[in-house]
Amino acid sequence: MNNISMERFERVLESVKKASTYLGVEKNSVHKDHEKIDASIALAFPDLYEIGMSHLGLKILYNVINGQPDLVAERVFTPGEDFATAIKSENMPFMSLETRRPLKDFDILGFTIPYELSYTNMLWMLDLAGIPLKTLDRDDATTFVIGGGAGVYNVEPVAEFFDCFVLGDGEETVLTVMRLIASQKGKPRNETLEKLSHVPGVYVPSLFDVSYDTEGKIEKVSPKLAEYKKATRVFLPTLSESPFPYEIVIPFGKPVQDRLNVEIDRGCTQGCRFCQAGTTYRPVRERTPAEIMAIIEKALGLTGYDSVTVTSLSAGDYSKIEPLLSTLMNRYEGEKVGVSLPSLRSDTVTSNIIREVGRVKKTGFTITSEAGTQRLRDVLNKNVTDEAIIRVATNLLESGWRSLKLYFMIGLPTETDEDVEAIFKLSDKLAQLTVNKKRFQTITVSVSNFVPKPHTAFQWVGQDSIESLIRKKERLFDLIRRNKRLRLKWNNAKMSFLEAVFSRGDRKLSRVVERAYRTGCKMDAWTEFFSYDGWMAAFKEEGIEPEFYANRDFDLDETLPWDHIDTGLTKKFFLREWKHAQKAEMTGDCKTANCEGCGLDPNTCFKPYDWPEVEKPEADQSTQKNRFKYRLTYTKTGLVKFLAHLETVSVLTRAIRIAKLPVMYSEGYSPHPRISFGPALPVGVESYAEAMDIEFSSKFAAEPLLQILNSVTPRGFNFTDCEEISIGTKSISSLIKGAEYKIAFRNAMPEEQINTAIKSFMESESRIIVREGPSGKSIDTRPMIKEITTISNLAGIRFKTVNSPTGSVRPNEVVKALFADNTPEIASITKLANILNMQDKIAI
Ligand code: SF4
């Protein structure tokens, strides 16, 4: 099938709310000719664009695959309901972002599986694409559906929908899988699946049969191939094999993680007994400080981000964390690049770390405690004490932080009411903490419900019941509201229950997933869309009790649904850890203490690193003295017309950073670039007259400045004019009094009819219309519209609008005001000029 034409696609975009998330023309997006490559994959993320575009793994795969001349990767995300409805009514298949290619024309649809509550979104995306949901129903020519990511360590509940899964670090495996599928084109699907089973790190679920006993427990998992008894996770020996995705696609809009994420290490050996990532990402592999600095330097230059997060399961455990941070801050403080560390255990947070992190921006700081009492922390093997937490909080107050986030879990194994109440006691103690007469203004106490995860020491433990979790949360809420500076944030217990069901589920659950999807469940990770009743009805219809999976303590000798998935860590190790947990006995960190015999080959594990320190740049002592202000005019045409105002602001601000122009910043805790934009342009309107003011610390000639800017902006933006203005000049938005537009109608309209409508309008004293949208307010358009003329060859009109004290008229409202009930369909709206007063215009 051909790719979707631009004209049809624009019609769809006009009817959706977040059009910018479907454009596929972001900076660094890759558009390859499919005729010239051997294998194609649509990298699918089963949640919205703004969530998926924050996922580092997806970015890594996109760049690794597109770096190969014979392969191509494009992206697709779960659509909004409006987009799905619009493509259905236009009879369009679900398509990729970059080339609008139907998903079923790709060789592979590769899902990242981030969490269990994304399962129905995957079925929805398959359905929209016209790909049969079940692997059994796919023929030899059907797109292969594969899965990977953090959620693949028990995929039995969705095993029937996937041809195969990639276990572990997917950077190399995905290339092998793509080339194998390319070489097998035209051959029987079963033969390809069998060949895939020989690729290290690939799990082909259809090559295993599962039988159950009368109680519903697994009796046996029977491999169909003698040489394929289990699927084994693969991991890269060092992170040097994981190339950093420098040319990251810069998302439009505001993704949940709107910053540069750089993975400083992978794996963690702290041994927290609830943590699946702590087992499935072992062994620890660190990048060198020099490698990290080089990555950040290059990636900031290519992306224009103004903050960096160094990602790690436990950043404080990175061997050279303090020198790394001070080197980073010395290098980037002058450019106002903030650095944050998302995961820190309080025993690793030193006052130096706090001081370094706060040098540019005091971003949110989270202390993870998990449990309120030392006894329960010992059960969890969480190497944290109250004293360490109080020390970190004291350092934060001394360094100027005024808000804090604490992270805990409830429903943990062996937990008592005393443990729950201790969460409040610790939080309250921190809220009372006073340093130099300063306290925290707010402390957010974030509480999650414990979900037992496969491949952990707690995999056998049943989850606390929904009722018990709610009772504990209410007790906590009663306590926490005694202190006005504490805020409680907690997860929905019913969602956590479903997460536990699928986390510990078997293949029988695929019937429930399909039924729930068919009866309307989707976007389950979103509280506003989650339908507990819908899910419970699906379980009932299928005759399956969800509590059997979520709340039951599994027998220690029971065959677990994930026993044939080999992460490298043994069941024997987890069992030993579970026994230690019951006695609240701690196990040491094998990075600094003895090997605990988890099952991996200790020779492949972390050796204490003594990385050479990178040369530290001196701290930037410069102060911004000289200020030069410029007024710039630019066009916004093509697909970028669907960017909303704030999205445009973000795209252009980043482009200016990529250009490394010396932008001036405001003072204060959160410095902002001194850039101001003209009035917002409605979404879907093209413009030849957008304007912005910007201040630099150096002087520029107009032509070179325009050239630099045009070399870094996405297609559709073009800077056309530049003028130096004095620092005290009023902002562009306060100077603009109106605008000139032209509108083309979709169908021909007699010129006489247009002229009659214009005449009638101009002769009237008032013309009231009702504004569309929630306000529904009535506005008199007549005083706000001037000089309307007909464009005869275009079947359209040209006019000027002028702002009034009560607001301004939108261009599409002009058509409504002129033609009332006979309003013609609009083909395009173009802004031609800004009007400073009714005699002057700028930038026609
Ligand atoms: S093999 Fe030993 S040193 Fe390596 S991760 Fe496992 S317990 Fe730690």
Side-chain angles (χ1 to χ4, degrees):
M1 187 181 279
N2 290 332
N3 297 1
I4 308 304
S5 76
M6 183 62 82
E7 197 190 337
R8 287 182 73 203
F9 186 54
E10 284 205 15
R11 281 172 96 97
V12 166
L13 292 180
E14 280 160 14
S15 65
V16 302
K17 273 202 200 113
K18 288 191 178 169
S20 64
T21 61
Y22 306 101
L23 305 184
V25 291
E26 305 96 322
K27 185 163 170 53
N28 297 333
S29 55
V30 178
H31 300 73
K32 285 191 185 178
D33 181 351
H34 282 246
E35 297 302 316
K36 296 184 180 155
I37 50 101
D38 295 335
S40 59
I41 184 168
L43 293 174
F45 194 88
D47 209 322
L48 299 178
Y49 175 91
E50 41 276 54
I51 310 291
M53 282 302 289
S54 301
H55 195 272
L56 183 60
L58 188 74
K59 293 172 189 171
I60 292 174
L61 289 183
Y62 187 79
N63 282 41
V64 165
I65 297 165
N66 283 322
Q68 310 292 313
D70 56 331
L71 307 175
V72 64
E74 300 193 7
R75 293 162 298 147
V76 63
F77 300 90
T78 302
E81 192 72 57
D82 56 357
F83 186 85
T85 307
I87 59 171
K88 266 190 194 162
S89 68
E90 286 277 334
N91 206 15
M92 273 184 202
F94 194 27
M95 67 209 103
S96 64
L97 290 192
E98 281 80 357
T99 58
R100 299 185 302 284
R101 187 179 177 83
L103 297 187
K104 65 183 164 68
D105 290 352
F106 281 80
D107 299 311
I108 304 167
L109 181 60
F111 280 100
T112 293
I113 307 179
Y115 24 73
E116 293 83 357
L117 297 190
S118 64
Y119 290 166
T120 50
N121 282 3
M122 295 184 216
L123 298 200
W124 187 29
M125 291 167 81
L126 285 171
D127 217 6
L128 284 171
I131 296 172
L133 300 191
K134 289 193 172 160
T135 180
L136 272 177
D137 298 330
R138 295 175 194 146
D139 63 25
D140 295 345
T142 309
T143 301
F144 280 83
V145 180
I146 71 175
V152 290
Y153 295 104
N154 179 27
V155 277
E156 293 308 285
V158 286
E160 292 187 6
F161 310 119
F162 281 82
D163 295 300
C164 72
F165 297 93
V166 172
L167 308 174
D169 300 337
E171 288 94 329
E172 286 175 2
T173 314
V174 73
L175 302 181
T176 312
V177 167
M178 286 184 77
R179 291 194 173 111
L180 192 150
I181 287 176
S183 70
Q184 285 287 115
K185 278 184 194 173
K187 305 223 174 106
R189 195 175 193 88
N190 282 344
E191 182 187 307
T192 308
L193 290 177
E194 197 173 319
K195 290 202 168 179
L196 281 168
S197 75
H198 300 308
V199 178
V202 171
Y203 170 43
V204 183
S206 57
L207 295 180
F208 293 85
D209 277 332
V210 182
S211 57
Y212 304 90
D213 66 17
T214 49
E215 287 179 63
K217 295 177 190 168
I218 292 177
E219 188 176 59
K220 208 160 58 161
V221 176
S222 314
K224 290 184 185 172
L225 301 177
E227 70 279 17
Y228 187 53
K229 292 196 166 56
K230 59 181 183 180
T232 305
R233 173 180 75 110
V234 290
F235 55 86
L236 301 172
T238 70
L239 288 196
S240 304
E241 280 82 10
S242 175
F244 187 80
Y246 288 109
E247 308 225 328
I248 299 166
V249 179
I250 314 281
F252 290 143
K254 208 136 183 74
V256 286
Q257 299 263 331
D258 195 20
R259 60 184 80 100
L260 181 69
N261 284 310
V262 177
E263 191 183 25
I264 57 172
D265 60 16
R266 200 176 284 180
C268 174
T269 47
Q270 282 294 323
C272 298
R273 291 175 178 132
F274 55 86
C275 180
Q276 190 189 59
T279 62
T280 54
Y281 283 94
R282 281 188 186 199
V284 172
R285 290 144 291 165
E286 293 191 352
R287 288 193 195 276
T288 69
E291 197 182 352
I292 295 166
M293 287 301 296
I295 286 173
I296 293 175
E297 183 72 18
K298 188 169 170 190
L300 282 177
L302 287 166
T303 59
Y305 279 115
D306 63 359
S307 55
V308 182
T309 297
V310 290
T311 66
S312 162
L313 287 174
S314 181
D317 287 318
Y318 178 74
S319 302
K320 294 278 179 184
I321 190 68
E322 283 194 22
L324 176 69
L325 282 178
S326 75
T327 309
L328 270 172
M329 295 317 303
N330 282 359
R331 168 64 189 86
Y332 294 110
E333 187 176 17
E335 294 175 24
K336 307 294 178 203
V337 173
V339 176
S340 56
L341 302 162
S343 294
L344 287 171
R345 266 195 357 271
S346 28
D347 60 313
T348 61
V349 185
T350 61
S351 52
N352 284 347
I353 290 181
I354 291 171
R355 196 171 46 248
E356 293 298 341
V357 170
R359 270 167 65 177
V360 172
K361 292 175 190 166
K362 290 189 170 49
T363 46
F365 207 103
T366 303
I367 298 180
T368 57
S369 174
E370 323 294 352
T373 60
Q374 196 56 49
R375 183 203 67 82
L376 192 49
R377 284 187 213 122
D378 291 348
V379 170
L380 305 182
N381 205 40
K382 186 83 189 173
N383 189 15
V384 166
T385 59
D386 278 7
E387 292 69 36
I389 293 171
I390 291 165
R391 178 181 50 75
V392 173
T394 307
N395 284 338
L396 287 169
L397 279 173
E398 277 170 357
S399 301
W401 264 267
R402 292 292 171 265
S403 65
L404 177 66
K405 193 170 166 190
L406 302 173
Y407 179 76
F408 297 95
M409 281 190 279
I410 54 171
L412 288 159
T414 78
E415 182 181 79
T416 63
D417 284 357
E418 189 194 329
D419 294 309
V420 177
E421 285 165 14
I423 292 176
F424 164 70
K425 285 182 189 156
L426 177 59
S427 310
D428 189 50
K429 199 184 269 182
L430 296 177
Q432 312 285 352
L433 198 64
T434 309
V435 176
N436 302 331
K437 297 190 185 162
K438 300 285 185 206
R439 288 180 179 186
F440 290 110
Q441 285 154 1
T442 51
I443 296 184
T444 304
V445 184
S446 181
V447 179
S448 294
N449 307 303
F450 166 69
V451 176
K453 292 284 179 184
H455 308 285
T456 69
F458 292 162
Q459 63 186 352
W460 292 279
V461 190
Q463 191 188 41
D464 215 351
S465 68
I466 293 175
E467 296 71 30
S468 172
L469 289 171
I470 291 175
R471 182 186 65 77
K472 288 173 182 175
K473 189 265 310 196
E474 283 173 353
R475 174 70 187 134
L476 206 44
F477 184 67
D478 275 348
L479 292 167
I480 274 180
R481 67 179 165 195
R482 292 179 190 171
N483 187 326
K484 286 194 171 51
R485 276 174 289 123
L486 296 179
R487 309 254 180 289
L488 179 66
K489 214 172 138 202
W490 90 302
N491 289 2
N492 181 320
K494 291 177 176 173
M495 291 167 88
S496 304
F497 169 69
L498 197 64
E499 196 187 330
V501 172
F502 289 119
S503 178
R504 305 171 84 216
D506 59 34
R507 285 191 188 183
K508 283 180 283 181
L509 292 181
S510 59
R511 299 189 334 242
V512 180
V513 177
E514 185 172 353
R515 184 174 286 274
Y517 162 65
R518 300 255 184 235
T519 51
C521 290
K522 51 184 187 271
M523 301 297 288
D524 300 306
W526 294 72
T527 330
E528 60 269 48
F529 300 116
F530 176 69
S531 168
Y532 180 70
D533 292 344
W535 274 101
M536 291 309 108
F539 278 106
K540 197 167 174 200
E541 289 291 321
E542 292 298 335
I544 290 178
E545 288 191 1
E547 295 81 5
F548 177 81
Y549 298 100
N551 305 122
R552 182 172 68 91
D553 284 340
F554 289 177
D555 300 334
L556 296 180
D557 58 356
E558 187 176 330
T559 301
L560 302 174
W562 51 89
D563 273 354
H564 55 298
I565 303 298
D566 180 8
T567 62
L569 282 77
T570 59
K571 219 169 166 179
K572 198 169 126 199
F573 169 72
F574 293 133
L575 193 55
R576 200 167 66 226
E577 280 298 290
W578 170 229
K579 287 183 176 157
H580 285 316
Q582 287 167 299
K583 291 187 259 173
E585 287 172 358
M586 298 281 289
T587 301
D589 176 359
C590 59
K591 190 165 123 182
T592 47
N594 296 332
C595 170
E596 295 290 339
C598 72
L600 292 177
D601 175 359
N603 295 317
T604 64
C605 293
F606 180 88
K607 311 276 184 306
Y609 290 124
D610 189 20
W611 300 123
E613 290 196 13
V614 282
E615 202 180 311
K616 282 190 196 170
E618 289 302 311
D620 188 336
Q621 303 295 337
S622 65
T623 50
Q624 300 178 342
K625 280 187 188 140
N626 298 321
R627 291 168 68 184
F628 303 92
K629 191 168 182 178
Y630 294 87
R631 179 151 295 159
L632 296 155
T633 312
Y634 61 93
T635 67
K636 186 184 177 194
T637 58
L639 277 180
V640 295
K641 71 181 176 184
F642 290 105
L643 295 186
H645 182 64
L646 288 179
E647 293 169 332
T648 302
V649 168
S650 147
V651 164
L652 294 182
T653 306
R654 262 192 210 138
I656 288 161
R657 289 189 69 92
I658 293 170
K660 293 200 181 313
L661 292 166
V663 181
M664 298 294 296
Y665 279 80
S666 61
E667 304 292 330
Y669 272 147
S670 267
H672 291 291
R674 290 188 187 275
I675 305 174
S676 67
F677 285 79
L681 185 72
V683 173
V685 175
E686 289 193 310
S687 175
Y688 289 91
E690 293 308 283
M692 63 190 278
D693 293 341
I694 182 164
E695 287 182 34
F696 295 127
S697 58
S698 317
K699 206 170 173 61
F700 283 93
E703 261 321 299
L705 182 58
L706 293 176
Q707 269 180 24
I708 293 171
L709 288 169
N710 286 330
S711 69
V712 289
T713 44
R715 219 176 318 160
F717 289 107
N718 187 35
F719 282 85
T720 53
D721 201 15
C722 170
E723 175 196 0
E724 186 175 350
I725 54 176
S726 66
I727 289 291
T729 309
K730 280 187 174 176
S731 72
I732 183 69
S733 54
S734 65
L735 290 173
I736 291 174
K737 303 289 185 243
E740 183 168 5
Y741 293 94
K742 72 173 181 188
I743 291 184
F745 304 142
R746 201 170 295 280
N747 301 310
M749 191 181 216
E751 199 169 331
E752 202 183 309
Q753 192 183 336
I754 302 176
N755 283 334
T756 306
I758 293 173
K759 189 162 181 287
S760 156
F761 179 83
M762 296 306 280
E763 286 173 0
S764 61
E765 285 194 356
S766 125
R767 189 66 65 89
I768 310 285
I769 62 151
V770 176
R771 176 155 283 174
E772 282 178 12
S775 79
K777 73 173 181 183
S778 297
I779 51 169
D780 186 359
T781 58
R782 180 60 193 89
M784 296 190 268
I785 304 172
K786 314 276 182 200
E787 296 181 29
I788 317 176
T789 54
T790 314
I791 313 173
S792 40
N793 59 345
L794 249 184
I797 53 172
R798 182 171 175 140
F799 56 91
K800 291 176 183 173
T801 62
V802 58
N803 304 338
S804 82
T806 53
S808 55
V809 63
R810 296 170 187 162
N812 60 337
E813 291 172 341
V814 176
V815 180
K816 201 171 166 188
L818 280 182
F819 298 98
D821 293 340
N822 295 319
T823 302
E825 203 182 331
I826 294 172
S828 66
I829 305 176
T830 310
K831 181 174 159 189
L832 302 168
N834 285 311
I835 299 171
L836 300 186
N837 60 52
M838 289 313 289
Q839 277 75 48
D840 296 336
K841 300 178 200 172
I842 61 166
I844 294 187

